[in-house]
Amino acid sequence: MFVGLQYRAAAAYRYSALLPATSKPRVRCLHSQIKTALVGGPAGAPAHRLYFTRDNQPISPWHDIPLVSNASTREYNMVCEIPRWSNAKLEIDTKSPFNPIKHDTKNGKLRYVANIFPYKGYIWNYGAFPQTYEDPAETDPDTRHAGDNDPIDVLEVGSKVCREGEVHRVKALGVLALIDDKETDWKVLAIRTDDPLAAKINGVGELEQFMPGLVSATVDWFTKYKVPDGKPRNCWAFDAKPRDADYAHDVIARAHDSWKKLIRQPHSQLKLDNVSIETSPSCLSSAEANDAFKALFGGGSIQQEQQQSHSDFWHYVR
């Protein structure tokens, strides 16, 4: 199911030497020796970018982090983009080199989700599955809508609040099919494998048993979250009912197949640069990755822009 790509071991070099001298990167150790480097200021700064490295080499969190962490137990790697309870709309930038996490913008303004009573920000650790792609050129036979041109979204429901850029092993419990702007936008319900309840929760039935009301709250949140911005409520496939874990695994596998087709394309509007997929025309050598990263900054510095605030106002949506 998850085979057919050849990976290349990357030679290491001093990644920190490539960063602008004034950026003062934040670097921390993460899952599987992955580290992150923050440039441009924290979330809330327009230039906010969180880059990923492995063995001191810049990598793409979308293309170079494997989807599967344990095939025998069907566990996956999840990249956390948005910590639970926060409001900033952070996402993997699929259109920039090395695909850093950025603060999303619309009409020149940073995006924040509104607080819809009784919720505060995002009610899960929100992230993405690497090496997946929801293809806008393919119509899903069940939802009858095409993909949204992004990696698959993950809603991690465990007890710990994750940090932006952390990579965690998770298991899929089920999946919801949001129809957003007439596009299929899968939301995989998942739990970290190191969570105290992970051994007890294997599907949506046990999720309701141990976390009663979370699935219905998830549907309610996604249905209403754009209403404060003047948009209509979102719609759902399957009458807003979650599909089980087996169905979720099938959705993930199909999205992985779509990504494998994408990563082999010689040209794309999306950034496919990577350092590990030998069968990809966009695979970079260490020297090429070095030069590409230095070119991002032009030998200069990234301005530490002032963090912009957002409203903590509570919205009541009928």
Side-chain angles (χ1 to χ4, degrees), residues 117-285:
F117 183 85
Y119 314 116
K120 170 65 175 74
Y122 289 82
I123 61 174
W124 340 257
N125 294 305
Y126 195 99
F129 279 137
Q131 297 187 343
T132 62
Y133 180 56
E134 298 187 58
D135 193 342
E138 295 184 8
T139 299
D140 187 273
D142 293 336
T143 67
R144 299 183 181 180
H145 290 276
D148 70 350
N149 205 37
D150 281 321
I152 283 190
D153 295 327
V154 188
L155 314 178
E156 198 282 315
V157 301
S159 58
K160 295 181 179 179
V161 176
C162 300
R163 297 176 65 186
E164 176 194 357
E166 287 184 343
V167 181
H168 292 287
R169 293 180 180 178
V170 301
K171 62 179 180 179
L173 309 175
V175 64
L176 290 157
L178 181 70
I179 306 302
D180 193 351
D181 291 331
K182 299 182 180 180
E183 297 174 332
T184 301
D185 190 1
W186 295 107
K187 308 295 183 184
V188 175
L189 297 160
I191 189 168
R192 284 172 52 171
T193 57
D194 61 352
D195 190 87
L197 288 176
K200 298 180 180 180
I201 302 178
N202 297 294
V204 290
E206 289 113 334
L207 182 58
E208 182 62 27
Q209 177 186 351
F210 288 96
M211 300 180 186
L214 180 57
V215 174
S216 60
T218 296
V219 171
D220 185 56
W221 192 96
F222 276 111
T223 300
K224 298 175 179 176
Y225 84 105
K226 290 185 176 181
V227 173
D229 296 326
K231 294 187 176 181
R233 296 180 178 222
N234 278 322
C235 301
W236 298 88
F238 315 130
D239 296 322
K241 303 297 183 184
R243 295 290 175 139
D244 63 15
D246 286 336
Y247 192 95
H249 290 303
D250 183 62
V251 167
I252 296 166
R254 284 187 279 124
H256 184 56
D257 287 339
S258 294
W259 172 82
K260 287 193 288 187
K261 295 177 183 177
L262 175 69
I263 200 66
R264 292 189 178 108
Q265 292 182 9
H267 304 287
S268 174
Q269 293 182 343
L270 304 176
K271 285 297 182 181
L272 307 181
D273 295 346
N274 67 86
V275 297
S276 60
I277 312 298
E278 286 188 337
T279 49
S280 168
S282 300
C283 187
L284 303 175
S285 67

Side-chain angles (χ1 to χ4, degrees), residues 87-116:
N87 296 75
K89 180 70 169 68
L90 306 174
E91 62 180 19
I92 291 173
D93 187 354
T94 60
K95 297 180 180 180
S96 291
F98 297 104
N99 310 119
I101 293 178
K102 70 170 185 178
H103 196 152
D104 191 29
T105 61
K106 189 167 186 178
N107 299 324
K109 296 182 179 180
L110 296 174
R111 293 183 64 189
Y112 296 91
V113 296
N115 296 313
I116 300 175

